[in-house]
Coordinates of all heavy atoms in Angstrom, one line a residue:
A266 N -10.2 46.2 95.3 CA -11.6 45.9 94.8 C -12.7 46.5 95.7 O -13.8 46.8 95.2 CB -11.7 44.4 94.6
S267 N -12.4 46.5 97.0 CA -13.5 47.0 97.9 C -12.9 47.6 99.1 O -11.7 47.5 99.4 CB -14.4 45.8 98.3 OG -13.6 44.9 99.0
K268 N -13.7 48.3 99.9 CA -13.3 48.9 101.1 C -13.0 47.9 102.2 O -13.7 46.9 102.3 CB -14.4 49.9 101.5 CG -14.1 50.8 102.6 CD -15.2 51.7 102.9 CE -14.9 52.9 103.7 NZ -16.0 53.7 104.0
Q269 N -11.9 48.1 102.9 CA -11.5 47.2 104.0 C -11.6 47.9 105.3 O -11.2 49.0 105.4 CB -10.1 46.7 103.8 CG -9.9 45.9 102.5 CD -8.4 45.6 102.3 OE1 -7.5 46.3 102.8 NE2 -8.1 44.5 101.6
Q270 N -12.2 47.3 106.3 CA -12.3 47.9 107.6 C -11.7 46.9 108.6 O -12.0 45.7 108.6 CB -13.8 48.1 107.9 CG -13.9 49.0 109.2 CD -15.3 49.6 109.3 OE1 -16.1 49.6 108.4 NE2 -15.6 50.2 110.4
F271 N -10.8 47.4 109.4 CA -10.1 46.6 110.4 C -10.7 46.9 111.8 O -11.0 48.0 112.1 CB -8.6 47.0 110.5 CG -7.8 46.5 109.3 CD1 -7.8 47.2 108.1 CD2 -7.1 45.3 109.4 CE1 -7.1 46.7 107.0 CE2 -6.4 44.8 108.3 CZ -6.4 45.5 107.1
F272 N -10.8 45.8 112.6 CA -11.2 45.9 113.9 C -10.1 45.2 114.8 O -9.6 44.2 114.4 CB -12.6 45.1 114.1 CG -13.7 45.7 113.3 CD1 -13.8 45.3 111.9 CD2 -14.5 46.7 113.8 CE1 -14.8 45.8 111.1 CE2 -15.5 47.2 113.0 CZ -15.7 46.8 111.7
G273 N -9.8 45.9 115.9 CA -8.7 45.4 116.7 C -7.4 45.8 116.1 O -7.3 46.9 115.5
A274 N -6.4 45.0 116.2 CA -5.0 45.4 115.6 C -5.1 45.3 114.1 O -5.6 44.4 113.5 CB -4.0 44.4 116.1
Q275 N -4.5 46.4 113.5 CA -4.4 46.4 112.1 C -3.2 45.5 111.7 O -2.2 45.5 112.3 CB -4.2 47.8 111.5 CG -4.3 47.9 110.0 CD -4.5 49.3 109.5 OE1 -4.5 50.3 110.3 NE2 -4.7 49.5 108.3
F276 N -3.3 44.8 110.6 CA -2.3 43.8 110.2 C -2.3 43.8 108.7 O -3.2 44.2 108.0 CB -2.5 42.4 110.8 CG -3.8 41.8 110.4 CD1 -3.9 41.0 109.3 CD2 -5.0 42.1 111.1 CE1 -5.1 40.4 108.9 CE2 -6.2 41.6 110.7 CZ -6.3 40.7 109.6
D277 N -1.3 43.1 108.1 CA -1.2 43.0 106.7 C -1.9 41.7 106.3 O -1.5 40.6 106.7 CB 0.3 42.9 106.2 CG 0.5 42.7 104.7 OD1 -0.5 42.7 104.0 OD2 1.6 42.6 104.3
P278 N -3.0 41.7 105.6 CA -3.8 40.5 105.2 C -3.1 39.6 104.2 O -3.5 38.5 104.0 CB -5.1 41.0 104.7 CG -4.9 42.4 104.4 CD -3.7 42.9 105.2
A279 N -2.0 40.1 103.6 CA -1.3 39.3 102.6 C -0.7 38.0 103.3 O -0.3 38.0 104.5 CB -0.1 40.1 102.0
G280 N -0.8 36.9 102.6 CA -0.3 35.6 103.1 C -1.3 34.9 104.0 O -1.0 33.8 104.5
A281 N -2.5 35.3 104.1 CA -3.6 34.6 104.8 C -3.9 33.3 104.1 O -4.0 33.3 102.9 CB -4.8 35.5 105.0
V282 N -4.0 32.2 104.8 CA -4.4 30.9 104.3 C -5.9 30.8 104.2 O -6.6 31.4 105.0 CB -3.7 29.8 105.1 CG1 -2.2 29.9 105.1 CG2 -4.3 29.7 106.5
P283 N -6.4 29.9 103.4 CA -7.8 29.6 103.4 C -8.2 28.9 104.7 O -7.4 28.2 105.3 CB -8.0 28.6 102.2 CG -6.8 28.7 101.4 CD -5.7 29.2 102.3
V284 N -9.4 29.2 105.2 CA -9.8 28.7 106.5 C -9.7 27.1 106.6 O -9.4 26.6 107.7 CB -11.2 29.1 106.8 CG1 -12.3 28.5 105.9 CG2 -11.6 28.9 108.3
T285 N -9.8 26.5 105.5 CA -9.7 25.0 105.5 C -8.3 24.5 105.9 O -8.2 23.3 106.3 CB -10.0 24.4 104.0 OG1 -9.2 25.1 103.1 CG2 -11.5 24.7 103.7
E286 N -7.3 25.3 105.8 CA -5.9 25.0 106.2 C -5.7 25.0 107.7 O -4.8 24.4 108.3 CB -4.9 25.9 105.6 CG -4.9 25.8 104.0 CD -4.4 24.4 103.6 OE1 -3.4 23.9 104.1 OE2 -5.1 23.8 102.7
V287 N -6.6 25.7 108.5 CA -6.4 25.9 109.9 C -6.4 24.5 110.6 O -5.5 24.3 111.5 CB -7.4 26.8 110.5 CG1 -7.3 26.9 112.0 CG2 -7.3 28.2 109.9
A288 N -7.4 23.7 110.3 CA -7.4 22.3 111.0 C -6.2 21.5 110.7 O -5.6 20.9 111.6 CB -8.7 21.6 110.6
K289 N -5.7 21.6 109.5 CA -4.5 20.9 109.2 C -3.3 21.4 109.9 O -2.4 20.7 110.4 CB -4.2 21.0 107.7 CG -5.2 20.3 106.8 CD -5.0 20.6 105.3 CE -6.2 20.1 104.5 NZ -6.1 20.6 103.1
M290 N -3.2 22.7 110.1 CA -2.1 23.4 110.8 C -2.1 23.0 112.3 O -1.1 23.0 113.0 CB -2.2 24.9 110.7 CG -1.9 25.3 109.2 SD -2.2 27.1 109.0 CE -0.8 27.8 109.8
L291 N -3.3 22.7 112.8 CA -3.5 22.4 114.3 C -3.1 20.9 114.6 O -3.0 20.6 115.7 CB -4.9 22.6 114.7 CG -5.2 24.0 115.4 CD1 -6.7 24.2 115.6 CD2 -4.4 24.2 116.6
E292 N -3.0 20.1 113.6 CA -2.8 18.6 113.8 C -1.5 18.5 114.6 O -0.4 19.0 114.3 CB -2.7 17.9 112.5 CG -4.0 17.7 111.8 CD -3.9 17.0 110.4 OE1 -2.8 16.5 110.1 OE2 -5.0 17.0 109.8
G293 N -1.6 17.8 115.8 CA -0.5 17.5 116.6 C -0.1 18.7 117.5 O 0.9 18.6 118.2
K294 N -0.8 19.8 117.5 CA -0.5 21.0 118.2 C -1.7 21.4 119.1 O -2.8 21.1 118.8 CB -0.1 22.1 117.3 CG 1.1 21.9 116.4 CD 1.3 23.0 115.5 CE 2.5 22.7 114.5 NZ 2.6 23.7 113.5
E295 N -1.4 22.1 120.2 CA -2.4 22.7 121.0 C -3.0 24.0 120.4 O -4.2 24.3 120.6 CB -1.9 22.9 122.4 CG -1.7 21.7 123.2 CD -1.4 22.0 124.7 OE1 -1.8 23.0 125.2 OE2 -0.6 21.2 125.2
S296 N -2.1 24.8 119.8 CA -2.6 26.0 119.2 C -1.6 26.4 118.1 O -0.5 25.9 118.0 CB -2.6 27.1 120.3 OG -1.3 27.4 120.8
V297 N -2.1 27.3 117.3 CA -1.2 27.8 116.2 C -1.6 29.3 115.9 O -2.8 29.7 115.9 CB -1.4 27.0 114.9 CG1 -2.8 27.0 114.4 CG2 -0.4 27.3 113.8
Q298 N -0.6 30.1 115.7 CA -0.7 31.5 115.3 C -0.9 31.5 113.8 O -0.1 30.9 113.0 CB 0.5 32.3 115.7 CG 0.5 33.8 115.2 CD -0.3 34.7 116.1 OE1 -0.3 34.5 117.3 NE2 -1.0 35.7 115.5
V299 N -2.0 32.2 113.3 CA -2.3 32.1 111.9 C -3.2 33.3 111.4 O -3.9 33.9 112.3 CB -3.1 30.8 111.5 CG1 -4.4 30.7 112.2 CG2 -3.2 30.5 110.0
K300 N -3.1 33.6 110.1 CA -4.0 34.5 109.5 C -4.8 33.7 108.5 O -4.2 33.0 107.7 CB -3.3 35.6 108.7 CG -2.6 36.6 109.5 CD -2.0 37.8 108.7 CE -0.9 37.3 107.8 NZ -0.2 38.4 107.1
F301 N -6.1 33.7 108.5 CA -6.9 33.0 107.5 C -8.0 33.9 106.9 O -8.4 34.9 107.5 CB -7.5 31.7 108.2 CG -8.6 32.0 109.1 CD1 -9.9 32.2 108.7 CD2 -8.4 32.1 110.5 CE1 -11.0 32.4 109.6 CE2 -9.4 32.3 111.4 CZ -10.7 32.5 111.0
T302 N -8.5 33.4 105.8 CA -9.6 34.1 105.1 C -10.8 33.2 105.1 O -10.7 32.0 105.0 CB -9.2 34.6 103.7 OG1 -10.2 35.3 103.1 CG2 -8.8 33.4 102.8
S303 N -12.0 33.8 105.3 CA -13.2 33.1 105.3 C -14.4 34.0 105.0 O -14.2 35.2 104.6 CB -13.4 32.4 106.7 OG -14.5 31.6 106.7
T304 N -15.6 33.5 105.1 CA -16.8 34.2 105.0 C -17.6 34.3 106.3 O -17.7 33.2 106.9 CB -17.7 33.6 103.9 OG1 -16.9 33.5 102.7 CG2 -18.9 34.4 103.6

């Protein structure tokens, strides 16, 4: 649908979770590796 521009490491954006899921994923953990989508 639109042009995509990558900065830093190029990665597959497929499977990214909504940003609202990040806080839930962090519950009980110090850190979490994740791909998320936001504005």
Side-chain angles (χ1 to χ4, degrees):
S267 66
K268 192 176 192 180
Q269 298 175 334
Q270 192 163 349
F271 287 82
F272 299 87
Q275 191 166 2
F276 60 95
D277 182 2
V282 300
V284 69
T285 54
E286 295 296 312
V287 175
K289 294 173 192 171
M290 294 171 75
L291 266 172
E292 288 178 6
K294 300 176 184 172
E295 288 186 30
S296 65
V297 64
Q298 175 81 33
V299 65
K300 290 186 291 189
F301 71 86
T302 183
S303 187
T304 304

